[in-house]
Amino acid sequence: MLDIKFIRENPDVFDADCARRSIEPIAVKLIEIDKRRRDYQTKAQEIQTRRNELSRIIGQKKANGEDAEDEIKKVSNSKKAQAEAEENAKSVSSELNLILGGLPNIPAVDVPEGQDEDDNVVLRKWGKQKKLSFQAKEHFDLGEALGQMDFETAARMSGSRFVILSGSLARMERALATFMLDLHTNENGFTEVSPPALVRDTALFGTGQLPKFERDLFKTTDGLYLIPTAEVPLTNILGDSLVDENSLPRRFAAITSCFRSEAGSAGKDTRGMIRQHQFSKVEMVAITTPEESEKEHERMIMCAEEILKRLDLAYRVVTLCLGDLGFSARKTYDLEVWLSGQRRYREISSVSNCGDFQARRMMTRYRPKNGKGTAYVHTLNGSGLAVGRTLIAIMENYQQEDGSIVVPEALRNYMGGVEKIEANV
């Protein structure tokens, strides 16, 4: 949620920031609605003040045996007028919040210009792309030939964009999730959390998925939503709360199933596991002060990078341009892993600094240790990593000419010492 006080005081700056997101000037409209809201609130307060004075006069007159009928009528009428003013203020507040709730976060000043992913800026690369002496296959061809990746049976029971993993591939998926979570909790200072997979609409509004992206969500018949990412429950752990600065930063990590309708992805990645309705992901969330959020952002992308380094998977880090920036993010780094079968880099993690955007929607504040009052926290989130896509990267980069898959050394203890995945016999 954007700060209406900032908009009132800096309308031209706000409209310029919106223009970077290709949003038409809207500050004048928001300020007018906000003025109506505040006028109604002021009117309600003035009526309350006058009624308090009338109540004092009524008490005095009754004590003196005087007639207070006129004052009593005025009090009765004022109650109706105050209720009307308060209802109007509530209605206008809803109108204002509806517009503000649909506006994306203001991008950081150093977010590069650009329209889409082709304009993202490569910051750095790590590792060597695997040089295979044979024609590399994509993960779905490898998995099906191994007899351990079944899209047909999954489609029969659940529809398209689902998969069944079995045998060593299923074990590797589990091993990857455990490996990632162990690294984040044992070395990176994250607290492991096992959160709910179903949340209320208020939790999704808090992190920015609602109302704009409802088509991308799966909703149950009783009004709960399946989480599209563990970012939602992890960030909402501190929703509607006031925390001490000394308790920050708070860092959470979780492995969950994630559920997305992929409403806008018709025709994209129709084969394989790249874009599924259900997938596993290890998520990192950090909640910190405004002064520390940029440093925390750099720290989190390095935590995600370390996973790929230990798996010896070549990758690059890119800064997303304005046209590719997510709704709630003020700045995002994407981590893209090299896939030998596709001969291209593919996103495996997005690490975003959301500033106070989500905190305002969730009402999450902290009490500064060296100041008065309260302030909004900054929230950050990132995949650490998408487990299925990491499995894909291992399959395509560690494939052998006979179709087997070498298990990276970092995973072998998690795989019970297995060094190679071979076809079912």
Side-chain angles (χ1 to χ4, degrees), residues 269-382:
D269 299 305
T270 53
R271 290 200 67 190
M273 289 177 57
I274 288 287
R275 203 177 297 273
Q276 297 273 283
H277 289 315
Q278 176 185 336
F279 58 94
S280 296
K281 182 157 67 79
V282 172
E283 185 73 6
M284 306 176 290
V285 162
I287 299 171
T288 188
T289 62
E291 295 78 14
E292 294 296 316
S293 69
E294 288 188 17
K295 184 166 69 174
E296 189 71 21
H297 195 195
E298 301 298 328
R299 181 184 189 275
M300 287 178 69
I301 187 64
M302 287 190 289
C303 289
E305 287 180 70
E306 185 62 26
I307 300 290
L308 295 182
K309 287 179 179 179
R310 298 198 185 186
L311 295 172
D312 194 22
L313 293 169
Y315 67 84
R316 67 183 185 184
V317 178
V318 302
T319 304
L320 297 196
C321 69
L322 288 168
D324 206 24
L325 193 63
F327 180 82
S328 296
R330 67 188 306 268
K331 184 176 181 180
T332 297
Y333 295 127
D334 264 12
L335 186 57
E336 299 178 344
V337 66
W338 174 257
L339 299 183
S340 291
Q342 294 192 27
R343 302 294 301 170
R344 60 182 290 203
Y345 288 98
R346 296 300 301 262
E347 176 204 335
I348 199 167
S349 171
S350 284
V351 181
S352 298
N353 185 346
C354 298
D356 64 5
F357 184 80
Q358 293 178 328
R360 288 181 180 277
R361 297 167 78 99
M362 297 188 306
M363 289 302 296
T364 305
R365 296 158 297 149
Y366 74 101
R367 198 185 306 279
K369 55 188 175 185
N370 296 320
K372 296 181 180 179
T374 63
Y376 288 101
V377 300
H378 279 200
T379 62
L380 304 96
N381 64 80

Side-chain angles (χ1 to χ4, degrees), residues 6 24 66 71 79-80 103 158 160 174 196 217 224 231 287 315 347 351 354 356 374 382 384-386 405 418:
F6 175 85
E24 295 295 322
E66 300 176 17
E71 286 78 10
K79 288 181 179 178
K80 295 178 183 178
L103 292 174
S158 303
S160 61
R174 174 165 54 93
L217 303 171
L224 295 176
E231 169 200 344
I287 299 171
Y315 67 84
E347 176 204 335
V351 181
C354 298
D356 64 5
T374 63
L385 303 164
I405 311 293
V418 173

Side-chain angles (χ1 to χ4, degrees), residues 173-174 176-182 184-185 191-197 227 229-230 234 252-258 279-284 384-388:
E173 182 184 47
R174 174 165 54 93
L176 277 168
T178 305
F179 164 68
M180 294 174 188
L181 209 50
D182 281 352
H184 292 317
T185 56
T191 297
E192 182 174 351
V193 176
S194 180
I227 58 172
T229 165
L234 293 182
F252 304 118
I255 169 66
T256 65
S257 291
C258 304
F279 58 94
S280 296
K281 182 157 67 79
V282 172
E283 185 73 6
M284 306 176 290
L385 303 164
V387 178

